[in-house]
């Protein structure tokens, strides 16, 4: 069944005239003559079979039917304008919007962006840091970095790094009064926790370490806070292999033990299925995957 739509130019003229209550101002906005606006309104009135305006001396008023029609269509015009602004903004300079956790942005993506800009100078990257993802991409996001198990229906998810957790501390702890030569020495140190205490509990259980009280020590809401607390010698962190790498490379953190805790989570680069192999999105995905594959952290996958 075909939709019954009025002449769209007439509808645009009516919306402008009803908003301004002036044919003259509507004509100025639409860059046409006042006579053209009047003609378009007459065409719309003939299509609808009713009057939309009343002329009173030098004023213009909406009829009851015209007022109701204007209230029904004005939000539609607003939505069209907003959608147009959005698509123009995203296409400007080849913009690419990336949504990702703040910790991954700070520790991994931002330090590497110069390389991407050098390879793709025409793509304008826009970073949107979010604490939690909903498993779906909003209209203003092209690519996302998700942390989880890779099960997001309707999305293309490629693994970047499998997560494992490493005990990490400041080098200063190794020369302090309390030894840190074996896992059993953890009982003498403050444990730093990320969001909850479950990871340290799993690590202690996996390695059968006696006498370690995992129910004490500060809890931080972000992984980067945990790492910074460890850098400043406040205790031992169970750090994510990806997020901790910059601090390890700089010598601010060291791994005193070989033991690690493997998890079922990983970092993924995510986009809509239909967009994975096209344009700027494909270019950025390929760059991310190549970077991950070529760096030592990927060896734990």
């Amino acid at each position: 069944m075909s939709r019954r739509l009025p002449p769209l130019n007439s509808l645009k003229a009516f919306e402008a005239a009803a908003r301004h209550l002036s044919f003259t101002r509507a004509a100025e906005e639409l860059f046409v003559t006042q006579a053209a606006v009047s003609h378009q309104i007459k065409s719309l009135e003939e299509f609808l079979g009713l009057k939309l305006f009343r002329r009173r001396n030098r004023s213009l008023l909406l009829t009851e039917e015209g007022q109701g029609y204007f209230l029904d269509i004005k939000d539609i015009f607003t939505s069209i304008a907003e959608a147009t602004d959005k698509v123009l903004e995203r296409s400007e300079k080849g913009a690419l919007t990336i949504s990702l956790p703040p910790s991954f942005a700070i520790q991994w993506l931002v330090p590497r962006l110069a390389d991407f800009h050098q390879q793709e100078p025409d793509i304008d990257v826009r970073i949107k840091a979010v604490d939690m993802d909903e498993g779906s991409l909003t209209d203003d996001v092209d690519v996302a970095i998700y942390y989880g198990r890779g099960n997001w229906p309707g999305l293309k998810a490629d693994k970047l790094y499998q997560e494992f957790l490493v005990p990490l501390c400041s080098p200063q702890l190794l020369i302090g009064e309390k030894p840190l030569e074996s896992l059993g020495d953890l009982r003498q140190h403050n444990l730093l926790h990320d969001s909850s205490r479950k990871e340290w509990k799993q690590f202690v259980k996996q390695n059968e370490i006696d006498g370690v009280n995992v129910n004490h020590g500060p809890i931080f809401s972000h992984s980067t806070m945990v790492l910074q607390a460890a850098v400043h010698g406040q205790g031992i962190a169970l750090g994510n292999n990806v997020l901790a790498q910059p601090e390890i490379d700089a010598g601010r953190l060291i791994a005193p033990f070989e033991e690690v805790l493997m998890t079922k989570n990983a970092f993924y680069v995510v986009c809509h299925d239909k967009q994975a192999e096209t344009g700027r999105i494909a270019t950025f995905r390929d760059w991310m995957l190549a970077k991950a594959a070529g760096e030592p952290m990927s060896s734990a996958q």
Side-chain angles (χ1 to χ4, degrees):
M1 181 178 178
S2 62
R3 293 176 294 179
R4 190 181 182 193
L5 295 175
L8 297 183
N9 282 337
S10 296
L11 198 63
K12 183 169 64 172
F14 166 71
E15 189 276 337
R19 179 160 34 85
H20 293 297
L21 287 179
S22 168
F23 285 2
T24 301
R25 293 178 63 186
E28 291 173 353
E29 179 181 311
L30 299 174
F31 299 101
V32 297
T33 65
Q34 182 177 341
V37 171
S38 181
H39 176 75
Q40 292 291 352
I41 298 300
K42 183 178 179 181
S43 176
L44 182 59
E45 288 177 332
E46 290 175 353
F47 177 86
L48 297 173
L50 51 83
K51 286 290 184 181
L52 297 172
F53 291 98
R54 289 194 183 95
R55 293 168 178 82
R56 295 285 181 86
N57 297 326
R58 296 184 179 181
S59 64
L60 187 67
L61 301 175
L62 286 162
T63 64
E64 183 178 347
E65 292 84 359
Q67 178 71 21
Y69 196 41
F70 173 63
L71 292 176
D72 285 339
I73 69 168
K74 69 174 185 175
D75 289 341
I76 298 173
F77 275 84
T78 300
S79 296
I80 292 172
E82 290 175 350
T84 303
D85 288 342
K86 183 183 294 184
V87 73
L88 289 175
E89 181 180 352
R90 290 178 63 189
S91 62
E92 182 184 0
K93 297 182 181 179
L96 183 78
T97 300
I98 305 159
S99 171
L100 70 170
S103 54
F104 193 91
I106 294 169
Q107 298 294 98
W108 196 92
L109 180 58
V110 172
R112 292 164 175 78
L113 272 181
D115 177 72
F116 181 75
H117 289 319
Q118 184 176 7
Q119 294 185 35
E120 304 293 339
D122 294 330
I123 298 180
D124 183 14
V125 173
R126 301 178 182 181
I127 305 299
K128 180 180 180 181
V130 293
D131 287 327
M132 297 291 290
D133 66 75
E134 302 296 332
S136 62
L137 294 184
T138 56
D139 290 340
D140 60 340
V141 172
D142 298 300
V143 182
I145 305 301
Y146 281 179
Y147 170 79
R149 301 190 179 185
N151 183 24
W152 299 289
L155 297 177
K156 172 71 171 174
D158 293 288
K159 184 186 291 186
L160 292 171
Y161 297 107
Q162 182 66 45
E163 179 187 55
F164 60 92
L165 303 176
V166 189
L168 296 168
C169 68
S170 166
Q172 297 300 313
L173 289 188
L174 297 185
I175 59 176
E177 297 178 357
K178 299 177 182 179
L180 197 56
E181 298 172 351
S182 68
L183 290 176
D185 292 332
L186 288 172
R187 65 176 66 94
Q188 303 183 63
H189 290 270
N190 198 29
L191 301 185
L192 308 174
H193 304 274
D194 180 2
S195 299
S196 73
R197 306 184 192 279
K198 66 179 182 179
E199 284 86 6
W200 269 117
K201 290 180 180 179
Q202 293 172 359
F203 183 85
V204 168
K205 181 179 179 181
Q206 172 183 291
N207 292 283
E208 300 179 344
I209 310 170
D210 296 326
V212 177
N213 188 349
V214 295
N215 293 315
H216 288 288
I219 298 177
F220 300 87
S221 62
H222 286 84
S223 301
T224 49
M225 295 181 184
V226 179
L227 295 175
Q228 287 306 303
V231 166
H232 291 285
Q234 296 173 18
I236 302 176
L238 203 54
N240 176 286
N241 55 305
V242 179
L243 304 182
Q245 195 64 45
E247 310 300 337
I248 296 172
D249 291 343
R252 291 186 289 267
L253 289 177
I254 61 171
F257 312 117
E258 295 182 356
E259 288 80 1
V260 301
L261 177 65
M262 301 299 298
T263 79
K264 296 180 180 180
N265 294 321
F267 288 105
Y268 294 82
V269 57
V270 177
C271 66
H272 290 292
D273 274 328
K274 295 180 180 179
Q275 298 177 330
E277 305 300 332
T278 59
R280 298 185 298 273
I281 293 175
T283 299
F284 185 77
R285 283 182 63 256
D286 292 344
W287 175 80
M288 287 279 291
L289 292 169
K291 274 290 181 184
E295 296 183 353
M297 288 173 286
S298 62
S299 63
Q301 291 183 0

